[in-house]
Amino acid sequence: MLGIKEHCAILGADVTGRYGAGNANLFKDIEHLIRLVAVIAIALVAFVILRAAVVPHSFGQYGHYRGAAIGEIASRPVAFAGHDTCEACHTDVVDQKKLGKHVVIACEACHGALAKHVDDPGSVQPKKLDTAIVCARCHEANSAKPKNFPQVATADHSGGIACDTCHQPHRPKIETAKTETEGKK
Amino acid sequence: MYPNEVELQWSILIVLYPFITGLVAGAFILASLERVFRVEAVKPTYRLALLTALAFLLVAPLPLQLHLGHPERSFEMYLTPHRSSAMAMFGFVYLWYLMGVLLLEIWLDYRRDIVVLSQTERGWKRLVYRVLTLGSRNVSERSLGIDERLGYFITLVGIPSAFLLHGYVGFIFGSIKANPWWSSPLMPIVFVFSAMVSGISAVMLLYMLSTRLREKEIDMRCLDKIAQYLLYTFVIDFSLEMLDLLQRIYEADESFRSLDFMVHTRLWTSQVIVQILLGTVTPIGLLGLTQILRLSDIARKRIYGLAGCLTMIGIFAMRWNVVIGGQLFSKSFLGYTTYKMAFATREGLLTAIALMILPFIILWILVKLLPPWYESDSSPGSGSAPAHGTS
């Protein structure tokens, strides 16, 4: 291990001359620590300035979030019309739904947000749904789902054919099967 | 199974998080043995242990940031700290340990070398060293004495900080009361001791490997001492884990049958075979042999190498069993799921391998910049390492 004298020898006469062991100036001997404290202080000040610049002013107004976010969200245009509004016009669909389990499903859960359609039914028309995709969102077989929930492995059950080829989405249980079962009883 | 339990949310990256953090805390505690407890025998590993801790600490948050998917958001926990979030507070524990302890201790310990290198090196390296000197080239005896005393104080503060760092990781798991596999007040203590085991083992292996690569002689007194500490720590760690197990078996609460079934089926290989038999009992037995029998240097080196590797595997398996095991059973205690690890995805095996290689690359750069070797451990005929100074 090298001692202090060897190190000073490596550093050269200039350094040893300026900061030799005989120098009793305490300030010189803690100069590097003062510089370190200055660097830390600069970093802290920079952090405080950065924080003041980037943290929104309304942060923490009500809780651990941006208070102004509430007003911004409230001012957004309404996207969903609500099933009561849909049912005011589409009474035929309501009648169909009442006969099946989908009566509890809101219209826009499958058809998407349609407030614009309500505002202007003539020019804004909902897109036709691909039932092979939409139905699978709920009815694709999954071991995590309750056993009594209707579910199928779509690849085996329909092979990609649209579900509404056989099922009526608003009243999905196939009536003929129901009649046959009831007949056997 | 409940719908949100089928797929595991915490992947192999979350296994790496406690594993890497543990290596940091363990390596630092080994370094503190020399500094605070004056265990002179382990001095050759002091600086290597500090640099290892820093290299792994720099990588420690990356698995979490990759898992969250928005690394830039992690900075927000410093801007708007959330005191009721255990995970957010880890950011402060991490920052304190990195900036308040490790970087400071390394800087103070290396300051004399940095000043020397800022004079002797050329090109970009000279610039780096000059920046690191902070413009002060004072290496007088008194200034170095002040550094030594301050460094001692920082190490003194650093020991509880290292315990806090990894104990906190254990606390994050142990405080999840909804999960009986994790929820245990012993979890932070078990994590701290397993961290010490993995850190000591990692530094021991790195010391053996680096000495071999540098074609120097291994200081057997140092290696024997590290292995001795590894054995003692490992025995305490294993006893604590067994106490935890005993407590669970005797208490046998409503979750016990489900967890017991899981250990005997899905976790049998990773927990019983790999973690306990291969990764704990075997290295303890091997290290114990070296304490009982009079073995040659070569035999001891081989045993230490083998025990060290098995220890690392065992501790990794422990992290795996905690993180993955805690997600394999249903909270209904009626069902089980499996972990399907992806390969080349953000949270896949390839990413995990890259994250485990990264600290070694950082360590290599750190060793090149701040050589941790002491002149006394160099053998005749070699002089490539720019060895300077002592601590």
Side-chain angles (χ1 to χ4, degrees):
Chain A
M1 284 172 274
L2 296 184
I4 178 64
K5 283 179 184 167
E6 288 84 350
H7 278 292
C8 290
I10 294 168
L11 288 172
D14 176 45
V15 178
T16 48
R18 282 168 63 195
Y19 304 113
N23 194 332
N25 190 337
L26 180 65
F27 180 77
K28 287 279 183 194
D29 289 333
I30 59 166
E31 184 198 354
H32 60 287
L33 297 176
I34 295 168
R35 283 171 184 264
L36 179 70
V37 171
V39 169
I40 294 169
I42 291 167
L44 282 175
V45 170
F47 174 77
V48 170
I49 293 169
L50 178 76
R51 189 176 184 277
V54 298
V55 174
H57 292 298
S58 66
F59 188 89
Q61 190 180 351
Y62 306 117
H64 197 77
Y65 58 93
R66 195 166 51 88
I70 293 174
E72 284 173 23
I73 293 165
S75 65
R76 280 185 191 172
V78 175
F80 287 88
H83 70 103
D84 292 337
T85 316
C86 305
E87 285 166 12
C89 298
H90 300 281
T91 49
D92 53 328
V93 177
V94 178
D95 293 340
Q96 284 285 315
K97 280 177 74 178
K98 277 179 181 169
L99 298 171
K101 285 185 176 177
H102 279 183
V103 67
V104 293
I105 309 291
C107 309
E108 288 163 303
C110 300
H111 291 280
L114 285 169
K116 285 180 182 170
H117 168 66
V118 174
D119 291 341
D120 189 1
S123 55
V124 181
Q125 289 291 323
K127 285 179 187 170
K128 170 116 176 68
L129 299 177
D130 183 352
T131 52
I133 295 169
V134 176
C135 301
R137 281 182 195 155
C138 296
H139 296 288
E140 184 68 59
N142 189 322
S143 58
K145 289 174 186 170
K147 287 193 173 59
N148 58 353
F149 183 79
Q151 51 191 309
V152 290
T154 47
D156 302 332
H157 182 74
S158 62
I161 298 169
C163 305
D164 61 353
T165 311
C166 305
H167 299 271
Q168 210 282 61
H170 295 125
R171 191 179 54 165
K173 195 161 189 177
I174 295 171
E175 287 308 312
T176 49
K178 185 184 174 187
T179 315
E180 279 172 17
T181 316
E182 282 172 359
K184 280 176 189 173
K185 281 180 181 174
Chain B
M1 295 295 289
Y2 295 121
N4 59 346
E5 294 174 333
V6 177
E7 250 182 69
L8 270 68
Q9 300 302 315
W10 288 5
S11 65
I12 187 169
L13 294 193
I14 308 299
V15 178
L16 288 188
Y17 159 61
F19 183 64
I20 293 175
T21 322
L23 292 174
V24 176
F28 183 84
I29 289 164
L30 178 65
S32 67
L33 280 178
E34 193 275 327
R35 191 80 186 240
V36 176
F37 302 107
R38 306 286 178 204
V39 183
E40 283 293 316
V42 299
K43 194 165 190 171
T45 61
Y46 171 68
R47 286 180 158 188
L48 182 67
L50 283 183
L51 295 185
T52 305
L54 179 60
F56 279 90
L57 190 66
L58 291 174
V59 178
L62 294 186
L64 297 177
Q65 286 169 325
L66 275 166
H67 170 73
L68 293 172
H70 274 281
E72 79 284 359
R73 286 186 189 168
S74 63
F75 188 61
E76 287 179 19
M77 68 186 168
Y78 296 117
L79 295 173
T80 52
H82 201 312
R83 279 172 294 168
S84 64
S85 161
M87 208 57 236
M89 283 301 108
F90 177 77
F92 288 90
V93 174
Y94 173 84
L95 193 69
W96 161 251
Y97 191 71
L98 175 67
M99 309 296 283
V101 175
L102 205 49
L103 281 180
L104 217 51
E105 178 161 344
I106 290 173
W107 185 72
L108 286 170
D109 192 68
Y110 271 98
R111 207 177 65 78
R112 180 164 55 189
D113 297 37
I114 291 168
V115 171
V116 172
L117 289 164
S118 73
Q119 303 287 303
T120 53
E121 287 291 336
R122 292 281 171 270
W124 66 269
K125 270 184 150 183
R126 186 190 182 98
L127 191 70
V128 171
Y129 292 125
R130 281 199 163 184
V131 171
L132 288 176
T133 60
L134 302 181
S136 168
R137 289 187 297 161
N138 185 359
V139 286
S140 69
E141 207 159 349
R142 189 159 71 163
S143 77
L144 293 174
I146 293 167
D147 287 355
E148 171 65 26
R149 282 199 294 278
L150 190 60
Y152 177 82
F153 175 73
I154 289 169
T155 314
L156 217 56
V157 176
I159 296 170
S161 301
F163 273 71
L164 176 70
L165 179 80
H166 204 64
Y168 198 94
V169 178
F171 154 74
I172 286 173
F173 285 99
S175 60
I176 300 177
K177 59 187 169 193
N179 190 320
W181 187 247
W182 292 334
S183 180
S184 162
L186 262 183
M187 198 63 112
I189 304 162
V190 169
F191 262 56
V192 165
F193 275 93
S194 60
M196 285 163 71
V197 169
S198 66
I200 294 172
S201 174
V203 175
M204 183 180 81
L205 290 174
L206 280 168
Y207 173 63
M208 291 171 77
L209 184 70
S210 59
T211 315
R212 195 186 176 89
L213 289 175
R214 292 164 57 233
E215 297 174 357
K216 301 283 164 75
E217 278 296 316
I218 288 178
D219 181 344
M220 283 311 291
R221 191 170 146 257
C222 167
L223 200 61
D224 285 336
K225 201 58 151 177
I226 297 175
Q228 209 175 20
Y229 279 111
L230 178 62
L231 175 64
Y232 297 158
T233 323
F234 219 158
V235 169
I236 298 171
D237 176 45
F238 188 51
S239 310
L240 284 169
E241 285 190 40
M242 288 304 106
L243 273 173
D244 186 42
L245 187 68
L246 191 72
Q247 166 91 10
R248 283 169 188 272
I249 293 170
Y250 190 73
E251 193 179 330
D253 65 7
E254 67 277 10
S255 66
F256 181 71
R257 281 184 66 184
S258 176
L259 300 182
D260 186 51
F261 178 80
M262 185 174 73
V263 171
H264 283 90
T265 52
R266 277 157 211 252
L267 289 186
W268 181 258
T269 310
S270 64
Q271 177 132 25
V272 179
I273 307 291
V274 180
Q275 183 191 327
I276 297 176
L277 293 179
L278 199 67
T280 307
V281 176
T282 312
I284 286 178
L286 287 171
L287 293 168
L289 272 182
T290 62
Q291 300 295 311
I292 299 165
L293 303 176
R294 279 179 178 274
L295 298 167
S296 66
D297 285 1
I298 300 270
R300 291 208 310 284
K301 274 185 218 169
R302 284 180 183 163
I303 288 176
Y304 294 154
L306 179 65
C309 291
L310 288 176
T311 303
M312 298 308 287
I313 293 168
I315 298 293
F316 183 82
M318 184 255 184
R319 311 296 191 221
W320 174 278
N321 293 321
V322 168
V323 176
I324 303 297
Q327 301 172 85
L328 291 182
F329 65 95
S330 171
K331 302 298 176 295
S332 65
F333 306 131
L334 294 171
Y336 302 89
T337 185
T338 47
Y339 173 48
K340 292 173 189 165
M341 185 162 43
F343 181 65
T345 59
R346 198 182 72 209
E347 293 196 52
L349 180 64
L350 202 63
T351 314
I353 292 170
L355 280 176
M356 274 319 296
I357 293 171
L358 189 58
F360 293 100
I361 296 171
I362 295 173
L363 181 62
W364 182 77
I365 295 167
L366 286 173
V367 166
K368 288 282 167 197
L369 269 178
L370 303 169
W373 327 119
Y374 295 91
E375 198 165 74
S376 59
D377 66 0
S378 60
S379 62
S382 60
S384 57
H388 307 288
T390 63
S391 59

